[in-house]
Amino acid sequence: MSASRHPALSATDPELASFVAAEEVLQAETLRLIPSENYVSAAVLEASGTVLQNKYSEGYPGRRYYEGQQNIDRVEALAVERAKGLFGVEHANVQPYSGSPANLAVYLAFAKPGDTVMGMALPMGGHLTHGWGVSATGSWFRGVQYGVQPGTGLIDYDAVRDLALAERPKIIFCGGTALPRTIDFAAFASIAEEAGSVLVADVAHIAGLIAGGAHPSPAGHVDVISTTTHKTLRGPRGAMLMCREEHAKAIDKAVFPGLQGGPHNQTTAGIAVALHEAAQPSFTAYAHQVVANAKALAAALLERGFDLVSGGTDNHLILIDLTGKGVPGKTAAKALDRAGIVVNYNTVPFDPRKPFDPSGVRIGTPSLTSRGLGVAHMPAVAEWISRAVDAAAKGDEAVLAVVRAEVADLMAAFPAPGLPLS
């Protein structure tokens, strides 16, 4: 299999080729529920592996520090125009290497070391780069955090406003990595305007839902939109910054030369393909199906006695508090992995346990939806999760083995995009 799909790699480095082949099998046979993962199309894979890899292209289209950029300029300009059209923004930069560097560019564009910045606390569902202490952003800037309400798991916008007016942060981030509910960008915009803050929407998790019309867009409400290009957007592992024209120069300068050298042109090409795919009607259907599947899965989990943060979901993501099941999140995640169900252990709001051994697991529906699973399959998925968690509590490896075989049987009936395995 490896030799036919990767002949040059297999001939040159058979050991590495065997690792790739094993990963192809793993992705094909398992039920991938990590909400930040997905399957890219064969077209995105091809674009990401082209001879564009061979080019250095410091600068921007028409303003490079290297010659021979005629085709590279066209590739990047195409990606930029597609991003602007898909998200309805005035300016887009497709060069950031990933989401964290993109957020660092925002800080470089609008703040100075020591300035106050504000974001959602990491244990409440935020991201490291939103000013959390263990991140460089929490070391270089004075980070203040908002959270969610006890009991409901929802953002208290009045509390956010009070904090913003008390602290007057230079930058406010909205968005995060474990938020199962719709973000009210208009409410954040009102708060930022009153506090005199630059508002940044980090939509890395929900960019594909926004592009497909399954989540409200921050465009027109925020100063800057930061996003990765993988996750629900189903592109390569890269990032974009989008903004109003008044901020274009500051953003571009912060990305290059502020933080980066030459862009990864092969990734830019993959982003362009993904943006083209996301503009198609089939992607709109996909985005809405992701949400429908997540809602159905949440309902099925609730029926089986699981405690869901905020009681459910509005998007692609479900955060499960396993305290009531008597199983720590890490123990459950590892048992689920042995059962062929790939999740990640995760803190829950007000978690009494440590981050590396928390109370919860985080799951999502982007990958399984890309394979064609629908609402009708979600009760079976919930049942597998329930059986595996119960087995983890009892140490019953036999049940995990049975679940893994059942999962593999279903996955065989729904081939993964980009993985044409025989």
Side-chain angles (χ1 to χ4, degrees), residues 38-74:
N38 214 328
Y39 297 97
V40 301
S41 69
V44 170
L45 281 175
E46 286 184 10
S48 300
T50 60
V51 296
L52 300 178
Q53 167 75 40
N54 299 337
K55 298 292 293 185
Y56 246 113
S57 308
E58 289 186 355
Y60 291 100
R63 298 179 289 119
R64 304 287 188 183
Y65 288 82
Y66 293 76
E67 299 308 315
Q69 304 297 318
Q70 299 91 330
N71 297 310
I72 302 301
D73 281 0
R74 290 193 290 178

Short mmCIF file of all heavy atoms in Angstrom, two decimals, residues 38-74:
data_model
loop_
_atom_site.label_atom_id
_atom_site.label_comp_id
_atom_site.label_asym_id
_atom_site.label_seq_id
_atom_site.Cartn_x
_atom_site.Cartn_y
_atom_site.Cartn_z
N ASN A 38 -9.63 17.08 11.16
CA ASN A 38 -10.52 16.85 10.03
C ASN A 38 -9.78 16.06 8.97
O ASN A 38 -8.60 15.71 9.15
CB ASN A 38 -11.04 18.18 9.46
CG ASN A 38 -12.45 18.08 8.92
OD1 ASN A 38 -12.87 17.04 8.41
ND2 ASN A 38 -13.20 19.17 9.02
N TYR A 39 -10.45 15.78 7.88
CA TYR A 39 -9.83 15.17 6.71
C TYR A 39 -9.81 16.21 5.59
O TYR A 39 -10.85 16.78 5.26
CB TYR A 39 -10.63 13.96 6.22
CG TYR A 39 -10.71 12.81 7.18
CD1 TYR A 39 -11.81 12.66 8.03
CD2 TYR A 39 -9.70 11.87 7.25
CE1 TYR A 39 -11.90 11.59 8.90
CE2 TYR A 39 -9.78 10.79 8.13
CZ TYR A 39 -10.88 10.66 8.95
OH TYR A 39 -10.96 9.60 9.83
N VAL A 40 -8.65 16.47 5.02
CA VAL A 40 -8.60 17.34 3.85
C VAL A 40 -8.86 16.51 2.61
O VAL A 40 -8.69 15.29 2.60
CB VAL A 40 -7.25 18.08 3.73
CG1 VAL A 40 -6.99 18.92 4.96
CG2 VAL A 40 -6.10 17.11 3.49
N SER A 41 -9.26 17.19 1.54
CA SER A 41 -9.52 16.51 0.29
C SER A 41 -8.22 16.08 -0.37
O SER A 41 -7.13 16.56 -0.04
CB SER A 41 -10.29 17.43 -0.65
OG SER A 41 -9.46 18.50 -1.07
N ALA A 42 -8.34 15.19 -1.35
CA ALA A 42 -7.17 14.79 -2.14
C ALA A 42 -6.57 16.00 -2.85
O ALA A 42 -5.35 16.09 -3.00
CB ALA A 42 -7.56 13.71 -3.14
N ALA A 43 -7.41 16.94 -3.26
CA ALA A 43 -6.92 18.14 -3.95
C ALA A 43 -6.07 19.00 -3.02
O ALA A 43 -5.04 19.54 -3.44
CB ALA A 43 -8.09 18.95 -4.50
N VAL A 44 -6.50 19.16 -1.77
CA VAL A 44 -5.71 19.93 -0.81
C VAL A 44 -4.38 19.22 -0.54
O VAL A 44 -3.33 19.86 -0.46
CB VAL A 44 -6.50 20.14 0.49
CG1 VAL A 44 -5.60 20.72 1.59
CG2 VAL A 44 -7.68 21.07 0.26
N LEU A 45 -4.42 17.89 -0.41
CA LEU A 45 -3.19 17.14 -0.20
C LEU A 45 -2.22 17.33 -1.37
O LEU A 45 -1.02 17.53 -1.17
CB LEU A 45 -3.51 15.65 -0.03
CG LEU A 45 -4.02 15.19 1.33
CD1 LEU A 45 -4.39 13.71 1.27
CD2 LEU A 45 -3.00 15.43 2.42
N GLU A 46 -2.74 17.27 -2.58
CA GLU A 46 -1.89 17.43 -3.75
C GLU A 46 -1.28 18.83 -3.80
O GLU A 46 -0.09 18.99 -4.05
CB GLU A 46 -2.68 17.16 -5.03
CG GLU A 46 -2.98 15.69 -5.27
CD GLU A 46 -3.68 15.46 -6.59
OE1 GLU A 46 -3.76 16.40 -7.41
OE2 GLU A 46 -4.15 14.33 -6.82
N ALA A 47 -2.11 19.84 -3.57
CA ALA A 47 -1.61 21.22 -3.62
C ALA A 47 -0.53 21.45 -2.57
O ALA A 47 0.45 22.17 -2.81
CB ALA A 47 -2.76 22.20 -3.42
N SER A 48 -0.68 20.81 -1.42
CA SER A 48 0.27 21.00 -0.32
C SER A 48 1.59 20.29 -0.56
O SER A 48 2.56 20.52 0.17
CB SER A 48 -0.34 20.50 0.99
OG SER A 48 -1.54 21.19 1.30
N GLY A 49 1.65 19.45 -1.56
CA GLY A 49 2.87 18.70 -1.84
C GLY A 49 3.49 19.01 -3.18
O GLY A 49 4.22 18.19 -3.73
N THR A 50 3.24 20.21 -3.72
CA THR A 50 3.73 20.57 -5.05
C THR A 50 5.12 21.18 -4.99
O THR A 50 5.68 21.42 -3.92
CB THR A 50 2.77 21.58 -5.70
OG1 THR A 50 2.71 22.75 -4.86
CG2 THR A 50 1.37 21.02 -5.86
N VAL A 51 5.65 21.51 -6.17
CA VAL A 51 6.98 22.13 -6.28
C VAL A 51 6.99 23.56 -5.75
O VAL A 51 8.06 24.17 -5.68
CB VAL A 51 7.47 22.14 -7.75
CG1 VAL A 51 7.66 20.72 -8.25
CG2 VAL A 51 6.49 22.91 -8.65
N LEU A 52 5.85 24.07 -5.33
CA LEU A 52 5.85 25.38 -4.66
C LEU A 52 6.69 25.32 -3.38
O LEU A 52 7.13 26.36 -2.88
CB LEU A 52 4.42 25.80 -4.33
CG LEU A 52 3.47 25.96 -5.54
CD1 LEU A 52 2.08 26.33 -5.05
CD2 LEU A 52 3.99 26.99 -6.51
N GLN A 53 6.89 24.12 -2.88
CA GLN A 53 7.77 23.90 -1.72
C GLN A 53 9.18 24.45 -1.99
O GLN A 53 9.89 24.84 -1.07
CB GLN A 53 7.84 22.39 -1.45
CG GLN A 53 8.92 21.96 -0.50
CD GLN A 53 8.60 22.29 0.94
OE1 GLN A 53 7.47 22.16 1.37
NE2 GLN A 53 9.60 22.74 1.69
N ASN A 54 9.59 24.52 -3.24
CA ASN A 54 10.97 24.87 -3.60
C ASN A 54 11.25 26.37 -3.60
O ASN A 54 12.40 26.77 -3.81
CB ASN A 54 11.30 24.32 -5.00
CG ASN A 54 11.21 22.81 -5.07
OD1 ASN A 54 11.32 22.13 -4.06
ND2 ASN A 54 11.00 22.28 -6.26
N LYS A 55 10.23 27.19 -3.40
CA LYS A 55 10.39 28.64 -3.57
C LYS A 55 10.48 29.39 -2.25
O LYS A 55 9.76 29.10 -1.30
CB LYS A 55 9.21 29.21 -4.37
CG LYS A 55 9.08 28.65 -5.78
CD LYS A 55 10.22 29.10 -6.67
CE LYS A 55 10.17 30.60 -6.92
NZ LYS A 55 11.21 31.03 -7.88
N TYR A 56 11.37 30.38 -2.22
CA TYR A 56 11.42 31.36 -1.14
C TYR A 56 10.76 32.63 -1.64
O TYR A 56 11.05 33.10 -2.74
CB TYR A 56 12.87 31.66 -0.75
CG TYR A 56 13.22 31.21 0.65
CD1 TYR A 56 14.12 30.18 0.85
CD2 TYR A 56 12.65 31.83 1.75
CE1 TYR A 56 14.46 29.76 2.13
CE2 TYR A 56 12.98 31.41 3.03
CZ TYR A 56 13.88 30.37 3.22
OH TYR A 56 14.21 29.98 4.49
N SER A 57 9.89 33.24 -0.83
CA SER A 57 9.07 34.35 -1.34
C SER A 57 8.84 35.42 -0.29
O SER A 57 7.71 35.87 -0.08
CB SER A 57 7.73 33.82 -1.84
OG SER A 57 7.91 32.77 -2.74
N GLU A 58 9.90 35.86 0.38
CA GLU A 58 9.73 36.90 1.40
C GLU A 58 9.11 38.14 0.77
O GLU A 58 9.51 38.60 -0.30
CB GLU A 58 11.07 37.24 2.03
CG GLU A 58 11.59 36.14 2.95
CD GLU A 58 12.85 36.56 3.69
OE1 GLU A 58 13.36 37.67 3.42
OE2 GLU A 58 13.31 35.79 4.53
N GLY A 59 8.14 38.71 1.50
CA GLY A 59 7.42 39.87 1.00
C GLY A 59 5.99 39.51 0.64
O GLY A 59 5.46 38.48 1.09
N TYR A 60 5.38 40.34 -0.18
CA TYR A 60 4.00 40.14 -0.59
C TYR A 60 3.91 40.23 -2.11
O TYR A 60 4.84 40.72 -2.77
CB TYR A 60 3.09 41.17 0.09
CG TYR A 60 2.96 40.93 1.58
CD1 TYR A 60 3.71 41.68 2.50
CD2 TYR A 60 2.13 39.94 2.08
CE1 TYR A 60 3.61 41.45 3.87
CE2 TYR A 60 2.02 39.71 3.44
CZ TYR A 60 2.76 40.45 4.33
OH TYR A 60 2.66 40.20 5.68
N PRO A 61 2.81 39.77 -2.71
CA PRO A 61 2.69 39.80 -4.18
C PRO A 61 3.02 41.19 -4.74
O PRO A 61 2.48 42.20 -4.29
CB PRO A 61 1.23 39.43 -4.41
CG PRO A 61 0.89 38.53 -3.27
CD PRO A 61 1.64 39.11 -2.09
N GLY A 62 3.93 41.20 -5.71
CA GLY A 62 4.37 42.45 -6.32
C GLY A 62 5.43 43.19 -5.54
O GLY A 62 5.99 44.18 -6.03
N ARG A 63 5.73 42.71 -4.33
CA ARG A 63 6.72 43.36 -3.46
C ARG A 63 7.57 42.30 -2.76
O ARG A 63 7.59 42.18 -1.55
CB ARG A 63 6.02 44.26 -2.43
CG ARG A 63 5.23 45.41 -3.03
CD ARG A 63 4.52 46.25 -1.97
NE ARG A 63 3.41 45.53 -1.36
CZ ARG A 63 3.33 45.24 -0.07
NH1 ARG A 63 4.31 45.59 0.75
NH2 ARG A 63 2.29 44.58 0.40
N ARG A 64 8.28 41.50 -3.57
CA ARG A 64 9.09 40.41 -3.03
C ARG A 64 10.56 40.81 -2.95
O ARG A 64 11.01 41.72 -3.65
CB ARG A 64 8.97 39.18 -3.93
CG ARG A 64 7.57 38.67 -4.17
CD ARG A 64 6.97 37.98 -2.98
NE ARG A 64 5.69 37.35 -3.36
CZ ARG A 64 4.89 36.70 -2.52
NH1 ARG A 64 5.22 36.58 -1.25
NH2 ARG A 64 3.75 36.16 -2.95
N TYR A 65 11.28 40.07 -2.10
CA TYR A 65 12.72 40.27 -1.98
C TYR A 65 13.50 39.23 -2.80
O TYR A 65 14.71 39.19 -2.76
CB TYR A 65 13.14 40.19 -0.51
CG TYR A 65 12.69 41.39 0.28
CD1 TYR A 65 11.40 41.49 0.77
CD2 TYR A 65 13.57 42.45 0.52
CE1 TYR A 65 10.97 42.59 1.50
CE2 TYR A 65 13.15 43.56 1.24
CZ TYR A 65 11.86 43.63 1.73
OH TYR A 65 11.46 44.74 2.44
N TYR A 66 12.78 38.40 -3.54
CA TYR A 66 13.37 37.40 -4.42
C TYR A 66 12.74 37.53 -5.80
O TYR A 66 11.56 37.88 -5.93
CB TYR A 66 13.09 35.98 -3.91
CG TYR A 66 13.77 35.62 -2.61
CD1 TYR A 66 13.29 36.10 -1.39
CD2 TYR A 66 14.87 34.78 -2.59
CE1 TYR A 66 13.90 35.77 -0.20
CE2 TYR A 66 15.49 34.43 -1.41
CZ TYR A 66 15.00 34.92 -0.22
OH TYR A 66 15.61 34.59 0.97
N GLU A 67 13.53 37.22 -6.82
CA GLU A 67 12.99 37.20 -8.19
C GLU A 67 12.38 35.82 -8.47
O GLU A 67 12.46 34.90 -7.67
CB GLU A 67 14.10 37.51 -9.20
CG GLU A 67 14.73 38.89 -9.00
CD GLU A 67 13.71 40.01 -8.95
OE1 GLU A 67 12.80 40.00 -9.81
OE2 GLU A 67 13.79 40.86 -8.06
N GLY A 68 11.78 35.71 -9.65
CA GLY A 68 11.16 34.44 -10.04
C GLY A 68 9.86 34.14 -9.32
O GLY A 68 9.51 32.98 -9.10
N GLN A 69 9.12 35.20 -8.95
CA GLN A 69 7.90 35.04 -8.16
C GLN A 69 6.61 35.16 -8.98
O GLN A 69 5.53 35.30 -8.41
CB GLN A 69 7.88 36.08 -7.04
CG GLN A 69 9.10 36.05 -6.13
CD GLN A 69 9.22 34.74 -5.37
OE1 GLN A 69 8.24 34.19 -4.88
NE2 GLN A 69 10.44 34.21 -5.29
N GLN A 70 6.73 35.10 -10.30
CA GLN A 70 5.57 35.34 -11.14
C GLN A 70 4.39 34.42 -10.79
O GLN A 70 3.23 34.87 -10.69
CB GLN A 70 5.94 35.14 -12.62
CG GLN A 70 7.02 36.08 -13.13
CD GLN A 70 8.42 35.52 -12.97
OE1 GLN A 70 8.70 34.74 -12.05
NE2 GLN A 70 9.32 35.90 -13.87
N ASN A 71 4.67 33.14 -10.59
CA ASN A 71 3.60 32.19 -10.31
C ASN A 71 3.21 32.19 -8.84
O ASN A 71 2.03 32.03 -8.50
CB ASN A 71 4.04 30.79 -10.74
CG ASN A 71 4.29 30.71 -12.22
OD1 ASN A 71 3.46 31.13 -13.02
ND2 ASN A 71 5.45 30.19 -12.61
N ILE A 72 4.19 32.40 -7.97
CA ILE A 72 3.90 32.46 -6.54
C ILE A 72 2.96 33.62 -6.24
O ILE A 72 2.02 33.50 -5.45
CB ILE A 72 5.20 32.60 -5.72
CG1 ILE A 72 6.14 31.42 -6.00
CG2 ILE A 72 4.88 32.71 -4.24
CD1 ILE A 72 5.55 30.07 -5.69
N ASP A 73 3.21 34.76 -6.86
CA ASP A 73 2.34 35.93 -6.65
C ASP A 73 0.90 35.60 -7.02
O ASP A 73 -0.05 36.00 -6.33
CB ASP A 73 2.83 37.12 -7.47
CG ASP A 73 4.01 37.83 -6.84
OD1 ASP A 73 4.46 37.39 -5.76
OD2 ASP A 73 4.48 38.83 -7.42
N ARG A 74 0.73 34.87 -8.10
CA ARG A 74 -0.63 34.53 -8.54
C ARG A 74 -1.30 33.57 -7.56
O ARG A 74 -2.51 33.69 -7.28
CB ARG A 74 -0.59 33.93 -9.95
CG ARG A 74 -0.23 34.95 -11.01
CD ARG A 74 -0.51 34.45 -12.41
NE ARG A 74 0.41 33.39 -12.81
CZ ARG A 74 0.35 32.76 -13.98
NH1 ARG A 74 -0.61 33.06 -14.85
NH2 ARG A 74 1.22 31.82 -14.27
#
